[in-house]
C-alpha cells in the first residue's frame, strides 16, 4: 500500500452510505499494517490522513465513524477545511492529530431530530434515545477537548449553534494545529 492510498476524502453529509467507504479504508489499512508488523521488524505505521469538510448529519452514523477512527491502531489525522459542523465536530475529536486550514469554521450544538408523525409513545421513546445520544456526545467533547462542561450546558440550555474559528478551536483543544 503506497502513501497516497492512505489519504481519504470526506466532503459530504454524515450518513450510512457516505461513511461506508471511509470505514472500509480505515479497516483495510489497519489489516495491512497488522500484516506488515508481523513481517517487518520495527515496522512503523504511517498515519491515515482524512481530509474532511462536512455540515454534519446522522448522529448514529457519526458514532460508528468516530469509533473506527478513535480505536484505529494506525493513527488517523484529520484535516478540516472550510467547515466542520455538528457531527463533524464530534468526529474530529477521534483523530490522533487534528489540523485545520486557517479560514475554517467549526460548529457544535445540541442533538436534534425530526420526530414527524408518530404516536406519543413513539415520540417519548425517540426523546429518550436523543437524550442518550446527547449525553454520549457531551462525554466525547469533554474527553477529546478542553471545552468546559459549563459551556456545553450553556449550548444545550440556550439551544444555540456555537460557531468558533480555528484560533478559538486551538485554545479549546478542538484542533492541534492551524495551516496558515
Amino acid at each position: 500500500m503506497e502513501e497516497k492510498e492512505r489519504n481519504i476524502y470526506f466532503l459530504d453529509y454524515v450518513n450510512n452510505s457516505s461513511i461506508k467507504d471511509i470505514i472500509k479504508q480505515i479497516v483495510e489499512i489497519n489489516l495491512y499494517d497488522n500484516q506488515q508488523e508481523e513481517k517487518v521488524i520495527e515496522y512503523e505505521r504511517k498515519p491515515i490522513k482524512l481530509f474532511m469538510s462536512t455540515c454534519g448529519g446522522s448522529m448514529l452514523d457519526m458514532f460508528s465513524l468516530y469509533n473506527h477512527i478513535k480505536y484505529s491502531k494506525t493513527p488517523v489525522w484529520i484535516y478540516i477545511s472550510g467547515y466542520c459542523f455538528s457531527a463533524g465536530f464530534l468526529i474530529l475529536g477521534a483523530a490522533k492529530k487534528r489540523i485545520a486550514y486557517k479560514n475554517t469554521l467549526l460548529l457544535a450544538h445540541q442533538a436534534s431530530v425530526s420526530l414527524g408523525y408518530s404516536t406519543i409513545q413513539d415520540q417519548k421513546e425517540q426523546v429518550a434515545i436523543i437524550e442518550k445520544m446527547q449525553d454520549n456526545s457531551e462525554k466525547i467533547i469533554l474527553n477529546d477537548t478542553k471545552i468546559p462542561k459549563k459551556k456545553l450546558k450553556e449550548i444545550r440550555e440556550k439551544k444555540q449553534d456555537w460557531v468558533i474559528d480555528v484560533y478559538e478551536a486551538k485554545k479549546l483543544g478542538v484542533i492541534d494545529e492551524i495551516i496558515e
Side-chain angles (χ1 to χ4, degrees), residues 18-33:
S18 70
I19 67 167
K20 179 177 60 175
D21 288 338
I22 298 168
I23 290 172
K24 181 180 178 204
Q25 287 174 279
I26 291 170
V27 169
E28 287 174 353
I29 292 168
N30 272 277
L31 291 172
Y32 173 83
D33 285 350

Side-chain angles (χ1 to χ4, degrees), residues 4 12 14 35 38 44 54 60 71 81-83 134 144:
K4 70 178 184 172
D12 207 342
V14 178
Q35 292 171 347
E38 291 176 12
E44 187 177 328
T54 182
L60 294 173
Y71 303 108
S81 179
Y83 51 92
Q134 180 67 37
D144 295 340

Side-chain angles (χ1 to χ4, degrees), residues 22-23 26 30 50 52 62-78 91-96:
I22 298 168
I23 290 172
I26 291 170
N30 272 277
L50 174 59
M52 182 171 75
M62 177 278 301
F63 288 126
S64 180
L65 182 54
Y66 176 92
N67 288 335
H68 280 85
I69 294 169
K70 185 76 170 182
Y71 303 108
S72 171
K73 191 172 176 186
T74 301
V76 178
W77 296 2
I78 296 180
I91 291 167
L92 185 60
K96 300 289 187 279

Side-chain angles (χ1 to χ4, degrees), residues 76-136:
V76 178
W77 296 2
I78 296 180
Y79 292 77
I80 57 171
S81 179
Y83 51 92
C84 184
F85 294 170
S86 191
F89 188 97
L90 294 160
I91 291 167
L92 185 60
K96 300 289 187 279
K97 188 170 184 180
R98 302 163 293 194
I99 303 114
Y101 288 87
K102 180 181 177 181
N103 297 308
T104 303
L105 293 176
L106 297 91
L107 176 142
H109 59 88
Q110 67 176 319
S112 63
V113 70
S114 173
L115 295 175
Y117 294 103
S118 59
T119 66
I120 292 172
Q121 184 58 39
D122 288 341
Q123 290 189 8
K124 286 179 182 177
E125 291 168 7
Q126 288 295 315
V127 168
I129 292 168
I130 295 164
E131 287 173 344
K132 285 181 184 177
M133 289 190 300
Q134 180 67 37
D135 289 345
N136 285 347

Side-chain angles (χ1 to χ4, degrees), residues 165-180:
D165 64 22
V166 293
Y167 302 105
E168 187 175 2
K170 188 170 180 189
K171 278 188 228 170
L172 292 168
V174 177
I175 62 169
D176 304 307
E177 187 179 319
I178 300 168
I179 297 174
E180 297 194 62

